[in-house]
Amino acid sequence: MAIQFTDQNVSEIIESGKPVLIDCWATWCGPCVRMSPIIDEVAEELGDKAAIGKYNIDEQNDLTAQYRIMSIPTILIFKDGKLVERLAGSQPKATLIEKMNALI
């Protein structure tokens, strides 16, 4: 299951050293809602090899401000605590799996 990223846990998870994928989303965003099951599937498929989850921009705002999230869905991908990729808009599962496998 996908992690629910919050302002309290997101920095610690990013700094964990393992690859991290964060889906920045909101409940009112249609494309975000359609991405939700894809994020869950990616999290299930990759298991403990990576931290995969969702960050609700309406409930949390540290990451939103830090990375200047202006449109959603936005996918942030981290490796060794550093942002290595930023994807705007809905993404197919295969793309997300491919990008994460390249970091594992």
Side-chain angles (χ1 to χ4, degrees):
M1 191 68 182
I3 298 166
Q4 295 303 314
F5 289 107
T6 66
D7 290 339
Q8 291 71 41
N9 71 7
V10 72
S11 293
E12 180 181 331
I13 296 170
I14 289 171
E15 297 297 326
S16 72
K18 68 169 61 171
V20 178
L21 182 148
I22 302 173
D23 173 30
C24 300
W25 74 289
T27 56
W28 49 263
C29 167
C32 298
V33 171
R34 288 189 294 279
M35 279 290 300
S36 185
I38 293 170
I39 298 299
D40 290 337
E41 289 172 20
V42 171
E44 186 175 322
E45 192 166 318
L46 295 179
D48 291 337
K49 294 184 269 183
I52 313 292
K54 305 168 191 176
Y55 183 88
N56 186 324
I57 65 162
D58 286 338
E59 296 174 0
Q60 313 296 320
N61 53 37
D62 289 355
L63 207 63
T64 308
Q66 183 177 357
Y67 292 97
R68 296 188 177 129
I69 306 298
M70 299 293 183
S71 63
I72 52 174
T74 293
I75 307 285
L76 303 175
I77 300 175
F78 297 84
K79 173 71 175 172
D80 297 324
K82 294 179 177 49
L83 181 67
V84 295
E85 187 141 13
R86 180 184 184 125
L87 305 169
S90 297
Q91 302 294 319
K93 177 182 171 184
T95 298
L96 300 179
I97 294 285
E98 177 183 318
K99 291 190 179 294
M100 294 307 291
N101 277 333
L103 300 176
I104 295 173

